[in-house]
Amino acid sequence: MSLSADLSCLQSSQGAEREAALASMEKQLMCPICMEIFNKPVVILPCQHNLCRKCANELYQPSLFHPRTTMLVNSGRFRCPTCRHDVVLDRHGVYGLQRNLLVENIIDIYKQELNQIPSPLPPPAPPPPPPPAAEATCSDHEGEKLNIYCLTCQLPTCSFCKVFGAHQSCRVAPLTDVHQQKKVN
């Protein structure tokens, strides 16, 4: 499918057909050097093929043998990695190549369309772990730490509950002492 057919298919379809059009479009927007979606700026070669400018710059290293691509590059020229056409550069090197604004705009549309695909619902998040005992707070006195243990009611409680609340007449002990004692037993 051509790029224009993919674009029109995106506008008029949904589901699997739309995803197929996006996959086809992605293949056409892939740089032959880095094998990723073109990174801006995209440059167009005289043979009408496109490259990321960064990749073109890596490909063009004057008078060096480039081991990554196994291509010999001479000063001011390199071969198109797609069709092997000889690309002759002017004194500006890779920066003298024209940007392909059309492809850059299509990449923007592709990325927008990709973000509109509804993703399957993620699994529900696990419940948060209970707070450590040292950080447990009283339900009757907001923000008060549970720091004593009511021996009468067999419940952890806060100091305010002992002094002002429901545990005024109860026997209590420090929570850490009761915890240590229960750990030993």
Short mmCIF file of all heavy atoms in Angstrom, two decimals, residues 10-60:
data_model
loop_
_atom_site.label_atom_id
_atom_site.label_comp_id
_atom_site.label_asym_id
_atom_site.label_seq_id
_atom_site.Cartn_x
_atom_site.Cartn_y
_atom_site.Cartn_z
N LEU A 10 -6.41 5.32 7.22
CA LEU A 10 -6.44 5.68 8.64
C LEU A 10 -7.67 6.52 8.97
O LEU A 10 -8.28 6.36 10.02
CB LEU A 10 -5.19 6.49 9.01
CG LEU A 10 -3.92 5.72 9.24
CD1 LEU A 10 -2.78 6.68 9.53
CD2 LEU A 10 -4.07 4.75 10.38
N GLN A 11 -8.03 7.41 8.05
CA GLN A 11 -9.14 8.33 8.30
C GLN A 11 -10.49 7.62 8.21
O GLN A 11 -11.45 8.03 8.83
CB GLN A 11 -9.10 9.49 7.32
CG GLN A 11 -7.87 10.37 7.53
CD GLN A 11 -7.65 11.35 6.40
OE1 GLN A 11 -8.24 11.21 5.32
NE2 GLN A 11 -6.81 12.33 6.63
N SER A 12 -10.57 6.54 7.42
CA SER A 12 -11.88 5.93 7.17
C SER A 12 -12.07 4.56 7.83
O SER A 12 -13.11 3.96 7.66
CB SER A 12 -12.08 5.79 5.66
OG SER A 12 -11.11 4.90 5.13
N SER A 13 -11.08 4.07 8.56
CA SER A 13 -11.23 2.71 9.09
C SER A 13 -11.02 2.67 10.60
O SER A 13 -10.56 3.62 11.21
CB SER A 13 -10.24 1.78 8.40
OG SER A 13 -8.91 2.17 8.70
N GLN A 14 -11.34 1.50 11.15
CA GLN A 14 -11.17 1.26 12.58
C GLN A 14 -10.69 -0.16 12.76
O GLN A 14 -10.69 -0.97 11.84
CB GLN A 14 -12.49 1.45 13.31
CG GLN A 14 -12.97 2.88 13.35
CD GLN A 14 -14.28 2.98 14.13
OE1 GLN A 14 -14.98 2.00 14.33
NE2 GLN A 14 -14.61 4.18 14.54
N GLY A 15 -10.28 -0.47 13.98
CA GLY A 15 -9.93 -1.84 14.34
C GLY A 15 -8.72 -2.38 13.61
O GLY A 15 -7.72 -1.70 13.42
N ALA A 16 -8.84 -3.63 13.17
CA ALA A 16 -7.71 -4.34 12.57
C ALA A 16 -7.24 -3.69 11.28
O ALA A 16 -6.04 -3.64 11.00
CB ALA A 16 -8.09 -5.79 12.32
N GLU A 17 -8.18 -3.18 10.48
CA GLU A 17 -7.82 -2.53 9.21
C GLU A 17 -6.98 -1.27 9.48
O GLU A 17 -5.99 -1.03 8.79
CB GLU A 17 -9.10 -2.15 8.45
CG GLU A 17 -8.84 -1.65 7.04
CD GLU A 17 -10.14 -1.35 6.30
OE1 GLU A 17 -11.17 -1.97 6.61
OE2 GLU A 17 -10.09 -0.47 5.43
N ARG A 18 -7.35 -0.52 10.50
CA ARG A 18 -6.63 0.69 10.86
C ARG A 18 -5.22 0.35 11.38
O ARG A 18 -4.24 0.99 11.03
CB ARG A 18 -7.42 1.44 11.94
CG ARG A 18 -6.85 2.77 12.31
CD ARG A 18 -7.86 3.51 13.19
NE ARG A 18 -7.44 4.85 13.46
CZ ARG A 18 -6.73 5.20 14.52
NH1 ARG A 18 -6.38 4.30 15.40
NH2 ARG A 18 -6.35 6.45 14.68
N GLU A 19 -5.14 -0.70 12.20
CA GLU A 19 -3.85 -1.13 12.73
C GLU A 19 -2.94 -1.63 11.62
O GLU A 19 -1.74 -1.41 11.64
CB GLU A 19 -4.03 -2.18 13.81
CG GLU A 19 -4.59 -1.58 15.09
CD GLU A 19 -4.71 -2.59 16.22
OE1 GLU A 19 -3.88 -3.51 16.28
OE2 GLU A 19 -5.63 -2.43 17.03
N ALA A 20 -3.51 -2.29 10.60
CA ALA A 20 -2.72 -2.76 9.45
C ALA A 20 -2.18 -1.57 8.66
O ALA A 20 -1.03 -1.59 8.20
CB ALA A 20 -3.57 -3.66 8.56
N ALA A 21 -3.01 -0.53 8.51
CA ALA A 21 -2.57 0.67 7.80
C ALA A 21 -1.44 1.36 8.57
O ALA A 21 -0.47 1.82 7.97
CB ALA A 21 -3.74 1.64 7.60
N LEU A 22 -1.55 1.40 9.90
CA LEU A 22 -0.48 1.99 10.72
C LEU A 22 0.81 1.18 10.60
O LEU A 22 1.90 1.76 10.50
CB LEU A 22 -0.92 2.07 12.18
CG LEU A 22 -1.82 3.23 12.56
CD1 LEU A 22 -2.36 3.07 13.97
CD2 LEU A 22 -1.11 4.56 12.42
N ALA A 23 0.70 -0.14 10.60
CA ALA A 23 1.89 -0.99 10.48
C ALA A 23 2.56 -0.79 9.13
O ALA A 23 3.79 -0.71 9.03
CB ALA A 23 1.52 -2.46 10.68
N SER A 24 1.75 -0.69 8.07
CA SER A 24 2.29 -0.46 6.73
C SER A 24 2.97 0.92 6.66
O SER A 24 4.05 1.05 6.08
CB SER A 24 1.16 -0.54 5.71
OG SER A 24 1.63 -0.19 4.42
N MET A 25 2.33 1.91 7.27
CA MET A 25 2.89 3.25 7.27
C MET A 25 4.21 3.27 8.04
O MET A 25 5.18 3.90 7.61
CB MET A 25 1.90 4.24 7.90
CG MET A 25 2.39 5.67 7.86
SD MET A 25 1.25 6.77 8.69
CE MET A 25 0.13 7.10 7.35
N GLU A 26 4.27 2.53 9.14
CA GLU A 26 5.50 2.50 9.94
C GLU A 26 6.68 1.96 9.12
O GLU A 26 7.78 2.48 9.20
CB GLU A 26 5.29 1.64 11.19
CG GLU A 26 6.51 1.60 12.09
CD GLU A 26 6.27 0.83 13.37
OE1 GLU A 26 5.11 0.67 13.77
OE2 GLU A 26 7.26 0.42 13.98
N LYS A 27 6.41 0.91 8.31
CA LYS A 27 7.47 0.35 7.47
C LYS A 27 8.02 1.39 6.50
O LYS A 27 9.20 1.42 6.21
CB LYS A 27 6.95 -0.87 6.70
CG LYS A 27 6.75 -2.08 7.56
CD LYS A 27 6.20 -3.23 6.74
CE LYS A 27 5.84 -4.40 7.62
NZ LYS A 27 5.11 -5.44 6.90
N GLN A 28 7.12 2.24 5.98
CA GLN A 28 7.53 3.25 5.02
C GLN A 28 8.23 4.43 5.67
O GLN A 28 8.92 5.19 4.99
CB GLN A 28 6.32 3.72 4.21
CG GLN A 28 5.72 2.61 3.38
CD GLN A 28 4.49 3.05 2.65
OE1 GLN A 28 4.49 4.07 2.00
NE2 GLN A 28 3.42 2.26 2.78
N LEU A 29 8.05 4.60 6.96
CA LEU A 29 8.66 5.71 7.67
C LEU A 29 9.91 5.29 8.43
O LEU A 29 10.38 6.00 9.31
CB LEU A 29 7.65 6.33 8.65
CG LEU A 29 6.43 6.98 8.02
CD1 LEU A 29 5.44 7.41 9.08
CD2 LEU A 29 6.83 8.16 7.14
N MET A 30 10.46 4.13 8.07
CA MET A 30 11.61 3.59 8.77
C MET A 30 12.91 3.96 8.06
O MET A 30 13.03 3.83 6.84
CB MET A 30 11.48 2.08 8.86
CG MET A 30 12.33 1.48 9.95
SD MET A 30 11.82 -0.20 10.33
CE MET A 30 10.35 0.10 11.28
N CYS A 31 13.86 4.45 8.83
CA CYS A 31 15.17 4.81 8.29
C CYS A 31 15.95 3.54 7.95
O CYS A 31 16.01 2.63 8.78
CB CYS A 31 15.94 5.65 9.32
SG CYS A 31 17.64 6.02 8.85
N PRO A 32 16.55 3.45 6.77
CA PRO A 32 17.29 2.24 6.40
C PRO A 32 18.61 2.08 7.16
O PRO A 32 19.21 1.01 7.11
CB PRO A 32 17.56 2.42 4.89
CG PRO A 32 17.50 3.88 4.67
CD PRO A 32 16.52 4.42 5.67
N ILE A 33 19.05 3.11 7.89
CA ILE A 33 20.29 3.01 8.65
C ILE A 33 20.01 2.53 10.08
O ILE A 33 20.47 1.49 10.50
CB ILE A 33 21.04 4.36 8.69
CG1 ILE A 33 21.37 4.85 7.29
CG2 ILE A 33 22.30 4.26 9.55
CD1 ILE A 33 22.39 4.04 6.55
N CYS A 34 19.20 3.30 10.83
CA CYS A 34 18.96 2.96 12.25
C CYS A 34 17.78 2.00 12.43
O CYS A 34 17.57 1.49 13.53
CB CYS A 34 18.75 4.23 13.08
SG CYS A 34 17.27 5.17 12.66
N MET A 35 16.99 1.79 11.37
CA MET A 35 15.83 0.89 11.38
C MET A 35 14.78 1.30 12.42
O MET A 35 14.11 0.48 13.00
CB MET A 35 16.27 -0.57 11.62
CG MET A 35 17.23 -1.11 10.56
SD MET A 35 16.57 -1.00 8.89
CE MET A 35 15.33 -2.26 8.92
N GLU A 36 14.66 2.59 12.63
CA GLU A 36 13.63 3.16 13.50
C GLU A 36 12.86 4.19 12.70
O GLU A 36 13.28 4.58 11.61
CB GLU A 36 14.27 3.82 14.73
CG GLU A 36 14.95 2.81 15.65
CD GLU A 36 15.58 3.46 16.86
OE1 GLU A 36 15.31 4.65 17.13
OE2 GLU A 36 16.36 2.78 17.54
N ILE A 37 11.73 4.65 13.26
CA ILE A 37 10.98 5.73 12.60
C ILE A 37 11.95 6.90 12.45
O ILE A 37 12.73 7.18 13.36
CB ILE A 37 9.77 6.15 13.47
CG1 ILE A 37 8.80 5.00 13.66
CG2 ILE A 37 9.06 7.36 12.87
CD1 ILE A 37 8.07 4.57 12.42
N PHE A 38 11.92 7.56 11.29
CA PHE A 38 12.83 8.67 11.04
C PHE A 38 12.84 9.64 12.21
O PHE A 38 11.78 9.99 12.74
CB PHE A 38 12.42 9.47 9.79
CG PHE A 38 12.64 8.74 8.49
CD1 PHE A 38 11.57 8.35 7.72
CD2 PHE A 38 13.92 8.45 8.05
CE1 PHE A 38 11.75 7.69 6.52
CE2 PHE A 38 14.11 7.79 6.84
CZ PHE A 38 13.04 7.41 6.07
N ASN A 39 14.03 10.06 12.61
CA ASN A 39 14.17 11.12 13.60
C ASN A 39 14.33 12.43 12.86
O ASN A 39 15.05 12.49 11.85
CB ASN A 39 15.41 10.89 14.48
CG ASN A 39 15.21 9.75 15.45
OD1 ASN A 39 14.21 9.70 16.14
ND2 ASN A 39 16.16 8.84 15.48
N LYS A 40 13.68 13.46 13.34
CA LYS A 40 13.78 14.77 12.69
C LYS A 40 15.15 15.37 12.97
O LYS A 40 15.69 15.14 14.05
CB LYS A 40 12.70 15.70 13.21
CG LYS A 40 11.31 15.27 12.83
CD LYS A 40 10.31 16.24 13.39
CE LYS A 40 8.89 15.80 13.10
NZ LYS A 40 7.91 16.72 13.65
N PRO A 41 15.71 16.13 12.07
CA PRO A 41 15.19 16.39 10.74
C PRO A 41 15.46 15.23 9.79
O PRO A 41 16.44 14.53 9.92
CB PRO A 41 15.95 17.63 10.30
CG PRO A 41 17.22 17.60 11.06
CD PRO A 41 16.92 16.90 12.36
N VAL A 42 14.53 15.05 8.84
CA VAL A 42 14.66 14.02 7.82
C VAL A 42 15.21 14.70 6.57
O VAL A 42 14.72 15.76 6.18
CB VAL A 42 13.28 13.39 7.51
CG1 VAL A 42 13.39 12.36 6.41
CG2 VAL A 42 12.70 12.77 8.77
N VAL A 43 16.24 14.11 5.97
CA VAL A 43 16.80 14.69 4.75
C VAL A 43 16.44 13.82 3.56
O VAL A 43 16.32 12.60 3.68
CB VAL A 43 18.34 14.87 4.84
CG1 VAL A 43 18.69 15.90 5.89
CG2 VAL A 43 19.06 13.57 5.12
N ILE A 44 16.24 14.47 2.43
CA ILE A 44 15.92 13.75 1.20
C ILE A 44 17.16 13.77 0.31
O ILE A 44 17.80 14.80 0.13
CB ILE A 44 14.68 14.35 0.50
CG1 ILE A 44 14.26 13.48 -0.67
CG2 ILE A 44 14.91 15.80 0.12
CD1 ILE A 44 12.86 13.79 -1.19
N LEU A 45 17.51 12.59 -0.20
CA LEU A 45 18.68 12.46 -1.07
C LEU A 45 18.27 12.76 -2.51
O LEU A 45 17.08 12.73 -2.84
CB LEU A 45 19.24 11.04 -0.96
CG LEU A 45 19.62 10.57 0.46
CD1 LEU A 45 20.09 9.13 0.44
CD2 LEU A 45 20.67 11.47 1.07
N PRO A 46 19.22 13.05 -3.40
CA PRO A 46 18.88 13.31 -4.81
C PRO A 46 18.11 12.16 -5.47
O PRO A 46 17.32 12.39 -6.38
CB PRO A 46 20.25 13.51 -5.48
CG PRO A 46 21.17 13.91 -4.38
CD PRO A 46 20.64 13.24 -3.14
N CYS A 47 18.27 10.94 -4.97
CA CYS A 47 17.55 9.79 -5.51
C CYS A 47 16.14 9.68 -4.94
O CYS A 47 15.43 8.72 -5.23
CB CYS A 47 18.34 8.51 -5.25
SG CYS A 47 18.67 8.23 -3.49
N GLN A 48 15.75 10.63 -4.11
CA GLN A 48 14.43 10.72 -3.48
C GLN A 48 14.23 9.78 -2.29
O GLN A 48 13.12 9.66 -1.79
CB GLN A 48 13.29 10.52 -4.50
CG GLN A 48 13.32 11.52 -5.64
CD GLN A 48 13.23 12.97 -5.14
OE1 GLN A 48 12.29 13.33 -4.47
NE2 GLN A 48 14.24 13.76 -5.45
N HIS A 49 15.28 9.10 -1.83
CA HIS A 49 15.18 8.32 -0.60
C HIS A 49 15.46 9.23 0.59
O HIS A 49 16.09 10.28 0.44
CB HIS A 49 16.15 7.13 -0.63
CG HIS A 49 15.74 6.08 -1.59
ND1 HIS A 49 16.46 5.81 -2.74
CD2 HIS A 49 14.66 5.26 -1.61
CE1 HIS A 49 15.83 4.86 -3.41
NE2 HIS A 49 14.74 4.51 -2.74
N ASN A 50 15.00 8.83 1.77
CA ASN A 50 15.13 9.65 2.97
C ASN A 50 16.02 8.99 4.00
O ASN A 50 16.10 7.77 4.07
CB ASN A 50 13.74 9.88 3.60
CG ASN A 50 12.84 10.64 2.67
OD1 ASN A 50 13.03 11.82 2.44
ND2 ASN A 50 11.83 9.96 2.14
N LEU A 51 16.64 9.83 4.83
CA LEU A 51 17.45 9.37 5.95
C LEU A 51 17.26 10.36 7.10
O LEU A 51 16.97 11.53 6.87
CB LEU A 51 18.94 9.35 5.61
CG LEU A 51 19.45 8.44 4.52
CD1 LEU A 51 20.92 8.72 4.25
CD2 LEU A 51 19.27 6.99 4.93
N CYS A 52 17.46 9.90 8.32
CA CYS A 52 17.56 10.83 9.44
C CYS A 52 18.86 11.61 9.19
O CYS A 52 19.85 11.03 8.74
CB CYS A 52 17.73 10.10 10.77
SG CYS A 52 16.52 8.83 11.15
N ARG A 53 18.87 12.89 9.49
CA ARG A 53 20.10 13.64 9.26
C ARG A 53 21.24 13.06 10.10
O ARG A 53 22.38 12.98 9.65
CB ARG A 53 19.93 15.12 9.59
CG ARG A 53 21.25 15.88 9.32
CD ARG A 53 21.16 17.35 9.56
NE ARG A 53 20.42 17.97 8.49
CZ ARG A 53 19.79 19.13 8.61
NH1 ARG A 53 19.80 19.78 9.74
NH2 ARG A 53 19.15 19.65 7.59
N LYS A 54 20.92 12.63 11.31
CA LYS A 54 21.94 12.05 12.19
C LYS A 54 22.55 10.81 11.53
O LYS A 54 23.76 10.62 11.54
CB LYS A 54 21.32 11.70 13.53
CG LYS A 54 22.24 11.06 14.52
CD LYS A 54 21.50 10.76 15.83
CE LYS A 54 22.36 9.95 16.73
NZ LYS A 54 21.91 8.58 16.89
N CYS A 55 21.70 9.97 10.94
CA CYS A 55 22.19 8.75 10.28
C CYS A 55 23.01 9.10 9.03
O CYS A 55 24.03 8.48 8.75
CB CYS A 55 21.04 7.83 9.92
SG CYS A 55 20.24 7.12 11.37
N ALA A 56 22.54 10.09 8.26
CA ALA A 56 23.29 10.53 7.08
C ALA A 56 24.65 11.04 7.49
O ALA A 56 25.66 10.79 6.83
CB ALA A 56 22.51 11.60 6.32
N ASN A 57 24.68 11.75 8.62
CA ASN A 57 25.95 12.29 9.11
C ASN A 57 26.89 11.17 9.53
O ASN A 57 28.09 11.24 9.30
CB ASN A 57 25.67 13.24 10.28
CG ASN A 57 26.75 14.28 10.44
OD1 ASN A 57 27.35 14.69 9.46
ND2 ASN A 57 26.99 14.68 11.66
N GLU A 58 26.34 10.11 10.15
CA GLU A 58 27.16 8.95 10.53
C GLU A 58 27.67 8.23 9.28
O GLU A 58 28.79 7.72 9.26
CB GLU A 58 26.36 7.98 11.39
CG GLU A 58 26.15 8.43 12.81
CD GLU A 58 25.35 7.44 13.62
OE1 GLU A 58 25.17 6.28 13.19
OE2 GLU A 58 24.88 7.84 14.70
N LEU A 59 26.84 8.17 8.25
CA LEU A 59 27.21 7.50 7.02
C LEU A 59 28.30 8.26 6.28
O LEU A 59 29.20 7.68 5.71
CB LEU A 59 25.97 7.36 6.12
CG LEU A 59 26.10 6.53 4.86
CD1 LEU A 59 26.41 5.09 5.22
CD2 LEU A 59 24.81 6.60 4.07
N TYR A 60 28.20 9.59 6.33
CA TYR A 60 29.16 10.44 5.63
C TYR A 60 30.26 10.87 6.59
O TYR A 60 30.10 11.76 7.39
CB TYR A 60 28.45 11.66 5.06
CG TYR A 60 29.41 12.73 4.59
CD1 TYR A 60 30.21 12.54 3.48
CD2 TYR A 60 29.51 13.94 5.26
CE1 TYR A 60 31.10 13.51 3.06
CE2 TYR A 60 30.40 14.92 4.84
CZ TYR A 60 31.19 14.70 3.75
OH TYR A 60 32.07 15.66 3.33
#
